[in-house]
Amino acid sequence: KTVPVLIATGADDKASIDQGFNAGATQYKTKPVNWSLLSRDVRYMLRAAEAFHELKAQEARLRYLAYFDQLTDLPNRRSFLEQLTHGLNIARISDTKVGLLIIDIDHFKRVNDSLGHERGDQLLQSIAYRLQDQLEKIAHAATDHLSRDDQSHREHLELNLARPGGDEFAILARHVTDELELKMVGAAVLEALAEPILLGAQKLVISTSIGIALSPDHGTEPEALLRNADAAMHAAKVDGRARLRLYDESLNQDAAEKIVLEAELRKALETG
């Protein structure tokens, strides 16, 4: 907390007054001092300081609610989109690659329906903690590898985790070398989340489906990269879940064909 400071002095020239305020004074009084008014000034300063700190605390709380998920303390969708946009802009300027991994918990609804939403929330918190721990290990290992390579001038792999919503998590990977490096990150995540998770007296074994997209290969705009990573994640679920899938153009083709097929089926049902 910042303590309000009042300076009472005989120096009333402009240089001294400026020096006092530059040093951190809240109020500056010159002699002779009216002590009865001074005590009121001190009380006013203390009240004003308290009100200011309360206002700053409210602003911090509102900012937290706007940018962070209250359940896991991870960046929320709004914050993640800003990070992704910024990362893509930097990558465009520096001619580097940005990776995106969308992680979806398989059959999460079954956990909520059978164990209740409280247990479901605890599971999401445990997954968030485990993901953060695993990403720190991956980034640390990548840093060690680069440190041993004296010839390498590339930036360290940077991994940022977020929870856009529901049972979905997202990883923004900056300074990525290629698709293989992203697949290695995805494989490490699959392995970490395959270990049983203890909730109270229960051990839960979950699986995840992961979709991967790489910029600029699979899109240079946030919406395109998100859409393609999401399409890859759904393809991983169709493939049997508990796996990862890298985006390729055939996925959009398949999706378009399904939309056309659904429209044709609806028309067929209506017309007999």
Side-chain angles (χ1 to χ4, degrees):
K1 238 180 183 183
T2 304
V3 178
V5 176
L6 184 147
I7 292 180
T9 176
D12 59 357
D13 59 285
K14 184 178 183 301
S16 298
I17 294 171
D18 288 343
Q19 187 178 3
F21 281 116
N22 289 336
T26 310
Q27 288 247 25
Y28 191 99
K29 296 287 183 182
T30 56
K31 295 177 181 178
V33 175
N34 184 321
W35 294 104
S36 61
L37 288 178
L38 182 65
S39 64
R40 292 181 183 180
D41 284 341
V42 170
R43 286 198 297 272
Y44 170 77
M45 286 169 57
L46 291 172
R47 284 199 302 268
E50 190 65 33
F52 174 77
H53 290 306
E54 287 178 4
L55 181 62
K56 295 300 287 184
Q58 288 177 359
E59 287 178 356
R61 177 64 180 165
L62 288 173
R63 180 171 178 79
Y64 169 80
L65 293 174
Y67 284 95
F68 289 89
D69 170 48
Q70 294 179 64
L71 183 66
T72 62
D73 283 332
L74 291 174
N76 60 15
R77 184 173 184 81
R78 176 181 179 179
S79 180
F80 183 70
L81 285 173
E82 289 186 8
Q83 288 181 22
L84 179 59
T85 302
H86 178 69
L88 288 171
N89 288 338
I90 296 296
R92 198 176 294 118
I93 295 167
S94 59
D95 194 27
T96 55
K97 293 179 182 292
V98 170
L100 178 61
L101 293 88
I102 299 294
I103 305 164
D104 191 84
I105 313 305
D106 296 330
H107 305 298
F108 179 74
K109 186 176 182 297
R110 189 183 298 169
V111 176
N112 271 342
D113 292 344
S114 58
L115 302 180
H117 289 279
E118 185 178 349
R119 278 284 189 261
D121 286 349
Q122 290 173 1
L123 176 60
L124 289 172
Q125 288 172 329
S126 297
I127 290 171
Y129 177 81
R130 190 172 290 188
L131 281 171
Q132 284 178 304
D133 184 59
Q134 185 69 3
L135 294 184
E136 285 174 10
K137 290 177 181 175
I138 295 169
H140 184 70
T143 301
D144 284 349
H145 178 74
L146 282 180
S147 298
R148 290 194 298 269
D149 183 3
D150 295 333
Q151 304 303 314
S152 177
H153 300 289
R154 59 165 286 206
E155 294 283 346
H156 295 169
L157 178 66
E158 187 180 318
L159 301 170
N160 300 115
L161 179 65
R163 183 190 172 213
D167 60 334
E168 199 170 87
F169 293 86
I171 299 172
L172 174 64
R174 296 183 57 193
H175 313 304
V176 181
T177 307
D178 51 26
E179 295 173 355
L180 179 61
E181 189 171 32
L182 279 180
K183 285 183 177 180
M184 289 172 63
V185 172
V189 167
L190 284 176
E191 185 179 350
L193 294 181
E195 292 292 321
I197 294 175
L198 189 64
L199 292 181
Q202 291 177 307
K203 273 188 178 180
L204 287 184
V205 178
I206 64 163
S207 67
T208 53
S209 298
I210 302 178
I212 301 174
L214 180 66
S215 177
D217 308 50
H218 306 142
T220 56
E221 297 301 321
E223 297 80 7
L225 203 63
L226 275 167
R227 183 175 62 250
N228 292 338
D230 196 59
M233 182 270 291
H234 285 289
K237 286 188 177 292
V238 172
D239 289 345
R241 305 177 191 270
R243 64 195 66 213
L244 57 86
R245 178 77 183 266
L246 181 70
Y247 172 79
D248 64 76
E249 290 185 2
S250 68
L251 297 180
N252 279 344
Q253 209 168 7
D254 291 345
E257 287 173 0
K258 285 177 183 175
I259 291 172
V260 172
L261 179 60
E262 183 180 341
E264 290 176 345
L265 284 170
R266 288 182 184 277
K267 185 177 180 182
L269 287 169
E270 288 170 3
T271 58

